[in-house]
Amino acid sequence: MWNPWRENLKDTPKESLNWRLWFGVFVFGLMGAARGIDEGLIGTTAELDPFIKKFGLEDPDKSEHQKAELLSNITSMVQMGSILGALVAFLVTDKIGRLWAVRQLCAIWVLGITIFLASASTGSIGMVYAGRFIAGIGIGQTTVVAPTYLAETAPRAIRGLCVTAFSGAVYLGIMLAYFASWGSSIHISSKTDAQWLVPNSMHLMFSGIIFTLSFFAKESPRWLIKVGRHEEALKNLVQLRNLPAEHPYIQSEVFDINEQLNREREATKGTSWLGPVRELFSSKANLYRIQLSIFSQLLGQWSGANSITIYAPQYFAMMGTTGQREKLFATAIFGLVKLISSLLCAFVLIDYIGRKRALSSGISLQLFAMLYMAIFLFVDKSVAVKGAPQSASMKSAAKGAIFFIYVSGFGWALGWNSIQYLINSEIYPLRLRALGGSFAMTFHFVNQYGNSKAVPLMFIAMTHGGTMLFFSIVTAIGLAWVWFFLPETTGKSLEAMDELFNLPWYLIGRKGAEMTKGHGGMSEVLDTEGEKAVGVQMEEIPGAGRNRSVDQRV
């Protein structure tokens, strides 16, 4: 039977792939639905008549520019709140731990959505803005807390699978949100606010589920070791791996974590609380990591795919789909395509073919799709005019453009969407992981906010075809950047990344994986069936019963 992980898993004890690990992956992966639900709901909510009338989205007294500005303000307010959420996430998640960080962000998320839903009774656009901004503070934190936890608890052989569970859940949320809006447009009267309130209540359902399940998950052993709770860390690691404390796999993992922490503490001894910030910007290796964070977010967000997710009904209208229900149904199918694509990526491609090849393949598909849509919109001007007749050939070309919207969604799910969370969760050392992830996701939401604000106005200023051509150019630049700068990190332990980033900068992206092959951390050289042993002394772990020693096989 074909198993895409057989080679990667050959050094991983089968006991470590147990229900406790998968439960943690489920709980923290599900947090991706926070973003997905909002991105899927807000664009489709803005197509529902009660919401349009309540908040004046089609007010005849407003100019087209004013309408576009109002829509962009409503949609982008969560992104603005998420900037603050991502900024504070590293402080919160390092101070109170990964689990309590989940619980507090769920509370903020619920508070914001409650205010947003309450605006239905007042018609206050201010409540819409305030509620969505506050919800964004909670939603923004999910993009730091969840990938950090997943990367820290996953065995390195399937780290890509575990972290992409988060990006997969983004599309679960998007798909459910699209179908909820489509269903409510059919089954709930357009004369009542319930038509948009019911689908938006999904926020409350998911936040409640995640909050409750978090009490049954295990805290990250890496964070526990970082804050000096060694006994609890060992206990959690034993449970997550389903192996005894004396097992070489457990002992080598603890050794790797402690060794990296000791190096980091030695390097930053005597520094203030600003030490991690200075450290992040002071070494060439960390500056390269920052470059990866910045450009993975910048190029990903401005490749256009995310704007299609948020404004999907408008995009389908651009390509010739008419009627509210038809646009919402096409949008719902688009969500299903993205979900299937993200699952394919998570379960087969990201750890099997590697991060770099998966991203390059996804970007190539996205580039081809964007170019087709740009050319179509430049050639066929009639789709921009409501009720304008189309020739038979133009109708066929329009169907092709709709097909390529789905292709772009597949490419985005395979490429940028998976990598933008995965790469930032695994490239930073433990001391800087939450800070680096927070920096990356702050930059992510700054760009997403700018994108959400700009796209409705770009359609007016640059025309639809010009906007798609702009996205195509950015996508092409992204493909070149991936080839030259992005390193392959598949199969490397989190603690072994330093070896990769200590190479000369011009070699990291193109040849880093080859030059550091075999540097997977202590656990990579373990072979319990080996012929001779070298004892590796580990530090005392309080409560562990004895001073641990690893019989390391070489």
Side-chain angles (χ1 to χ4, degrees):
M1 182 178 177
W2 180 68
N3 183 350
W5 298 294
R6 182 177 290 126
E7 182 64 24
N8 284 354
L9 288 170
K10 66 181 181 181
D11 297 322
T12 305
K14 63 181 181 180
E15 293 86 354
S16 63
L17 308 179
N18 60 83
W19 73 269
R20 287 190 185 277
L21 170 70
W22 299 123
F23 180 78
V25 170
F26 174 75
V27 175
F28 280 79
L30 194 60
M31 289 166 64
R35 272 196 61 205
I37 289 169
D38 184 72
E39 289 178 9
L41 281 175
I42 195 58
T44 50
T45 296
E47 291 288 313
L48 298 174
D49 288 337
F51 191 84
I52 291 170
K53 292 173 184 174
K54 177 77 71 174
F55 300 108
L57 288 173
E58 293 294 340
D59 190 339
D61 295 331
K62 290 187 176 77
S63 67
E64 289 301 312
H65 187 279
Q66 288 173 322
K67 292 175 186 176
E69 189 74 39
L70 176 61
L71 175 62
S72 68
N73 285 340
I74 292 172
T75 56
S76 65
M77 204 53 63
V78 160
Q79 280 73 43
M80 184 179 284
S82 294
I83 295 171
L84 178 58
L87 271 174
V88 302
F90 89 93
L91 293 171
V92 174
T93 194
D94 269 354
K95 188 71 175 176
I96 65 176
R98 289 31 171 166
L99 290 180
W100 277 106
V102 172
R103 293 158 195 160
Q104 63 80 31
L105 73 83
C106 284
I108 296 172
W109 181 13
V110 167
L111 174 63
I113 292 301
T114 302
I115 294 171
F116 170 53
L117 297 180
S119 67
S121 60
T122 64
S124 168
I125 192 67
M127 288 182 70
V128 172
Y129 291 160
R132 287 183 54 73
F133 178 84
I134 293 170
I137 297 173
I139 292 170
Q141 291 184 60
T142 65
T143 59
V144 177
V145 177
T148 297
Y149 177 90
L150 292 168
E152 289 182 345
T153 57
R156 64 187 175 88
I158 56 165
R159 189 171 62 244
L161 167 64
C162 294
V163 177
T164 50
F166 177 84
S167 55
V170 172
Y171 289 118
L172 173 65
I174 288 171
M175 184 197 70
L176 292 175
Y178 284 165
F179 274 101
S181 291
W182 174 60
S184 69
S185 73
I186 297 173
H187 299 294
I188 301 177
S189 171
S190 60
K191 297 178 181 179
T192 171
D193 286 321
Q195 193 179 65
W196 66 271
L197 289 174
V198 170
N200 276 277
S201 67
M202 286 177 62
H203 282 284
L204 304 179
M205 300 173 197
F206 270 78
S207 57
I209 291 169
I210 293 166
F211 180 86
T212 303
L213 293 180
S214 72
F215 286 95
F216 301 96
K218 295 294 177 183
E219 182 59 90
S220 164
R222 281 175 166 82
W223 178 78
L224 291 169
I225 289 176
K226 181 181 177 181
V227 297
R229 292 157 62 178
H230 294 277
E231 185 177 357
E232 190 177 348
L234 181 64
K235 180 182 175 183
N236 282 11
L237 190 59
V238 164
Q239 291 180 324
L240 284 169
R241 299 290 180 260
N242 196 29
L243 293 168
E246 295 78 14
H247 195 283
Y249 192 83
I250 295 286
Q251 294 195 1
S252 67
E253 193 166 356
V254 175
F255 179 90
D256 282 348
I257 298 167
N258 277 304
E259 185 182 41
Q260 187 189 40
L261 266 179
N262 289 337
R263 286 200 311 268
E264 292 171 3
R265 285 168 180 161
E266 187 65 31
T268 57
K269 189 180 291 183
T271 60
S272 67
W273 64 273
L274 283 173
V277 178
R278 291 196 190 98
E279 185 184 352
L280 187 63
F281 293 94
S282 63
S283 73
K284 290 181 180 179
N286 286 338
L287 287 175
Y288 197 97
R289 289 176 168 108
I290 290 171
Q291 176 265 140
L292 291 177
S293 292
I294 289 174
F295 281 98
S296 64
Q297 303 303 332
L298 182 68
L299 295 169
Q301 287 302 310
W302 289 97
S303 68
N306 208 52
S307 70
I308 296 178
T309 300
I310 294 174
Y311 297 110
Q314 290 91 323
Y315 274 91
F316 280 108
M318 279 164 44
M319 304 303 168
T321 304
T322 57
Q324 184 196 65
R325 290 183 181 178
E326 288 77 8
K327 286 187 290 183
L328 290 176
F329 178 71
T331 300
I333 299 301
F334 180 58
L336 181 60
V337 168
K338 281 196 163 188
L339 175 63
I340 293 171
S341 305
S342 64
L343 291 176
L344 176 66
C345 179
F347 283 99
V348 178
L349 297 177
I350 200 73
D351 279 319
Y352 180 59
I353 69 172
R355 280 71 158 145
K356 191 160 185 163
R357 275 190 285 180
L359 179 54
S360 298
S361 302
I363 292 176
S364 298
L365 284 172
Q366 195 181 334
L367 174 59
F368 189 72
M370 290 292 183
L371 279 173
Y372 181 94
M373 289 186 278
I375 293 168
F376 168 75
L377 290 168
F378 275 124
V379 172
D380 187 2
K381 306 289 186 183
S382 65
V383 290
V385 182
K386 212 170 187 177
Q390 279 185 305
S391 65
S393 61
M394 284 302 180
K395 285 181 179 178
S396 298
K399 290 177 182 177
I402 292 170
F403 169 75
F404 276 109
I405 290 180
Y406 295 123
V407 172
S408 75
F410 179 85
W412 168 257
L414 173 61
W416 284 122
N417 184 64
S418 299
I419 294 299
Q420 65 182 340
Y421 303 113
L422 176 57
I423 198 71
N424 291 299
S425 68
E426 64 184 6
I427 60 175
Y428 290 99
L430 179 56
R431 176 176 167 80
L432 302 176
R433 192 163 298 140
L435 176 60
S438 183
F439 173 83
M441 296 320 298
T442 298
F443 199 75
H444 169 92
F445 285 115
V446 166
N447 280 278
Q448 193 178 47
Y449 170 74
N451 192 275
S452 300
K453 282 285 292 177
V455 166
L457 302 173
M458 287 169 70
F459 286 155
I460 296 172
M462 296 174 63
T463 73
H464 294 148
T467 302
M468 300 309 290
L469 181 61
F470 170 79
F471 290 147
S472 300
I473 293 169
V474 174
T475 304
I477 294 171
L479 188 60
W481 175 83
V482 169
W483 179 82
F484 193 84
F485 289 106
L486 186 73
E488 181 56 73
T489 58
T490 302
K492 294 189 178 298
S493 73
L494 295 180
E495 289 68 40
M497 292 292 177
D498 287 346
E499 185 80 21
L500 176 65
F501 288 102
N502 284 330
L503 292 172
W505 67 270
Y506 53 85
L507 294 176
I508 295 174
R510 291 184 299 116
K511 297 184 177 180
E514 298 170 23
M515 296 179 71
T516 59
K517 195 170 183 180
H519 295 272
M522 273 281 293
S523 56
E524 191 164 275
V525 294
L526 281 173
D527 178 8
T528 55
E529 299 300 321
E531 297 170 355
K532 60 178 182 176
V534 178
V536 178
Q537 194 69 28
M538 294 178 64
E539 70 174 79
E540 179 74 25
I541 301 176
R546 60 184 176 87
N547 195 39
R548 305 250 171 230
S549 175
V550 180
D551 245 5
Q552 183 185 349
R553 312 292 177 178
V554 294

